[in-house]
Every structure is written in structure tokens, then in C-alpha cells.
Amino acid sequence: DVKVTQSSRYLVKRTGEKVFLECVQDMDHENMFWYRQDPGLGLRLIYFSYDVKMKEKGDIPEGYSVSREKKERFSLILESASTNQTSMYLCASSPVGGTEAFFGQGTRLTVV
Amino acid sequence: AQSVAQPEDQVNVAEGNPLTVKCTYSVSGNPYLFWYVQYPNRGLQFLLKYITGDNLVKGSYGFEAEFNKSQTSFHLKKPSALVSDSALYFCAVKSAGNMLTFGGGTRLMVKP
């Protein structure tokens, strides 16, 4: 089975902190994604990567950056956390030309 | 640009009754359509997909979905609902490329 693992289930951070959310997948997928989930808004794409060191902005990249130094790992970085970034963050991966994406269990981030 | 609409924030159904969760989409080109389910504090689990072929697609846990090209819809259905089906359901679409676009989600409540 495909496994996408996010390093933390719950995080509490202070305003202004630099925050790292880590995601690892074990199926050698080329594509990796970071989504943000908020009630009533569904999932919104923050960034995606289709190869090592490659990244593309999604719908809501402001306030975020990403890093993909190895194929299996995709990190989401909040440069200076703010309270409006309190949310559920979901990582996903898929193969090139594949259809469905496979999701991690999510990280619920609270910024205080 | 591609988009997905889930017109109902919540669907209530009695256990044993049929259920329908609605989804309409907008995309240029041939759509790839998906349904995902999310249980509390969990990531998204893949339910089913439509790529091509038969308009009625069968998926996990007894769910099925009907693709209707003229109405640009992909409604999720189940003949007999279970209390354990209560969850948050997301419809998603993609065309060319690898990005999935999600609807806002529909909460399904199945009452005993």
C-alpha cells in the first residue's frame, strides 16, 4: 500500500515562528502536493512539486514556501506563522500520469 | 480553469435508505473525476474514480457514482446507508496535468 506520512498530527506554534511541516512518501511518486483544508472551503492547493527541486505555486501560496531536496520528501514552510494560517494541512502524492492522489493523515496546526 | 461544486453542505439520511451526494464540475477537455471520504481527524481516503468508459462507476464500501456528461455531474450514491458512512465527502476533478481541484465538501449524517 502507498503510504504518505506527515511528521506531526497536531502542532501549536506562536505567531512569528518559522514552521516546518514534513511529508514523506514511500512509493517513488514524482508528484507531491500540499493542501490546506478549511471548513466550507474544501481543499485548496498551496504548492506542488513534480520533481526534485521543482515546485509550482498553487492557488494560495502567499505566506508559504516549499522544499523538495529528495524525491520522497516534500516540506512546507511557514516563514512567519500567523493566526490566519491555523488550519488542517494535507500532503498528497501521485505518480506521473497517474489518476488518484494518496493523502497523508493531516497536520492540524494552531497558531497562537 | 477547472472547478467543482458540491451544492449541499450537509446531507441527512436514515440508516437503510438510499443516499445521494451531489457534485457538478467545470473543466476543459475530458474530465477525470474522483470521490474521497474523510473521517474525523484523518486524511482523505480514495473512494472511486471515473476516467473513461461506463458512466456508472463502482467503488469502495458499496458506493457508486454516475457520470453525466450533459449535466456535468458526478453524483455519489449508495443504495442503503450505514451509520458508519457518516463522514465528510469530497468530489474532485482534473483534466490535463496533475492537479486535483476539490469541491467544498459535503457532510453526510446517517441516523439510526
Side-chain angles (χ1 to χ4, degrees), chain A residues 13-78:
Chain A
K13 296 292 182 181
R14 295 193 180 278
T15 301
E17 274 193 79
K18 190 169 186 176
V19 181
F20 293 86
L21 302 184
E22 306 287 346
C23 175
V24 176
Q25 51 97 1
D26 66 359
M27 282 302 290
D28 203 35
H29 287 170
E30 288 78 10
N31 301 318
M32 296 189 75
F33 309 85
W34 275 105
Y35 288 89
R36 171 176 170 160
Q37 181 183 3
D38 298 289
L41 297 177
L43 276 71
R44 294 178 291 168
L45 183 64
I46 305 172
Y47 269 96
F48 72 99
S49 169
Y50 51 89
D51 201 351
V52 174
K53 297 190 186 295
M54 305 300 288
K55 61 184 179 184
E56 293 284 343
K57 293 180 180 179
D59 299 319
I60 51 164
E62 296 79 16
Y64 304 95
S65 62
V66 290
S67 172
R68 194 165 180 201
E69 297 297 319
K70 294 184 177 182
K71 190 175 185 180
E72 67 270 19
R73 186 180 297 270
F74 192 36
S75 303
L76 179 69
I77 304 157
L78 286 65

Side-chain angles (χ1 to χ4, degrees), chain A residues 9-10 31 33 35 37 40-43 45 48 90 97-101 103-105 108, chain B residues 32 34 36 38 41-44 46 49 51 88 90 94 98-105:
Chain A
R9 291 292 304 276
Y10 301 94
N31 301 318
F33 309 85
Y35 288 89
Q37 181 183 3
L41 297 177
L43 276 71
L45 183 64
F48 72 99
L90 292 165
T99 52
E100 70 266 30
F103 282 82
Q105 77 278 27
R108 187 167 293 281
Chain B
Y32 292 177
F34 306 83
Y36 285 83
Q38 185 181 35
N41 296 314
R42 306 293 296 177
L44 272 66
F46 169 76
K49 65 184 176 186
I51 305 300
L88 189 55
F90 289 97
K94 74 173 187 175
N98 297 298
M99 284 199 297
L100 277 172
T101 297
F102 286 85

Side-chain angles (χ1 to χ4, degrees), chain B residues 78-93:
Chain B
K78 188 174 182 182
S80 179
L82 299 173
V83 172
S84 57
D85 292 330
S86 299
L88 189 55
Y89 290 81
F90 289 97
C91 181
V93 67

